[in-house]
Amino acid sequence: MPSASRAPASRIALPRVVERRISIHIGHQKCASTTLQAALAANVEALRARGAVVADEQLRFPLEGPLGGPPTFYVDGMCDREEDGLRETVQRLHDEMRGLPEEVGHLIVSAESLTRPRAEYLAKALAHAYRVEVVYYVRRPQDFLVSAWAQWGCLEGLGLRAFVEREFGLGRPDYLAVAERWSAYAASCHVRPLHPRALRSGDVVADFFAALGYADMEVKAPPPQNVLLDWGLLEVFAACPFLFEDMHDTALGDWLKGVVEQQAERPLLPRDLVDEIAARYDAPNRRLQERFFPDADFEAVMATRRDDCAPERTAAEEQQAEAARLRRAVGVQLELMRKLQRS
């Protein structure tokens, strides 16, 4: 997509639309985006009754029927096509708005892929025609990194340490940069850390609907989303990437979640990586807190937790812990075989 200095979106002319607004939930990935998208789908009829329509997977705004999913991959395609993709997307939103009845005054778009660089030009292109409101949730970087590895990194054949070190090199997560890019063009920018102490009623769904302007709505809560598999299984996945077509191939993991009991143990980062996370992310995230959610306690909601890391172990102890995780993975296999036998 073109550089900021060219500002291609400013050349896209749209007619003035009175008293209509567009709320854009931009993620971040691994920050309850799937939960919030499920909440939108579960409450889509109640929103329509209030004059709000939600974008589907093709960035259309259906007035009836269930949603087909969020427009995450559509937005990815928009970003890949750079200026042409942006123009097409803005035109699509304009056409959709023109086709909506007068009583619809609110469009809602949720796609965590909007955190990609220069996607914020969408806000710039729409700001003179609609009131653009941005909603953005962030999370402790160490929690993001572990969760991202569990969902994607292990499917690529990367161990936890290798994945975290790669994300270090790519500068992810980059919450401050994303928030600053979008807030430059939006009429409002609601940024909140994914922590009960910083959220309305301690709940991200309640906070999200309040940010959309529906604090009084009786919201249907969606079921839990993206529940992590046992650490032992995730390590097996990392050792067997041939089981997956790509990092988005969740079929095997989704099936396992439905047929095996979950283990309580979750991946923990070693202390040296936790220290490096603090050194890399705490300063920019403190600036993020000071600008966008100064009422929240940084140490409580965003600071790196140095007491939440893998225990120091000797080489022999680490081998024993790894063997225990692999035994659990074998146990899952035996459990599945037993279920097949009984059926």
Side-chain angles (χ1 to χ4, degrees), residues 73-92:
F73 293 112
Y74 179 95
V75 170
D76 269 329
M78 176 196 81
C79 294
D80 290 343
R81 294 177 57 217
E82 300 186 342
E83 185 171 349
D84 288 342
L86 174 66
R87 287 180 175 278
E88 178 185 295
T89 301
V90 172
Q91 188 61 50
R92 171 166 293 196

Side-chain angles (χ1 to χ4, degrees), residues 21-39:
R21 62 191 177 103
I22 179 167
S23 294
I24 307 178
H25 168 231
I26 63 173
H28 200 91
Q29 293 175 324
K30 304 312 303 171
C31 293
S33 294
T34 304
T35 294
L36 298 180
Q37 289 157 1

Side-chain angles (χ1 to χ4, degrees), residues 58 75 84 94 109 139 143 174 209 218 265 329:
Q58 293 299 318
V75 170
D84 288 342
H94 172 45
V109 179
R139 189 180 188 181
D143 295 336
D174 52 351
F209 275 75
E218 187 174 342
E265 186 177 6

Side-chain angles (χ1 to χ4, degrees), residues 115-131:
T115 57
R116 290 181 55 170
R118 301 187 179 90
E120 69 277 3
Y121 283 132
L122 188 62
K124 183 174 184 179
L126 298 171
H128 75 287
Y130 319 127
R131 175 180 170 83

Side-chain angles (χ1 to χ4, degrees), residues 263-278:
Q263 302 289 335
E265 186 177 6
R266 67 182 182 86
L268 293 174
L269 293 167
R271 182 169 295 278
D272 63 324
L273 279 181
V274 171
D275 289 340
E276 190 168 354
I277 288 171

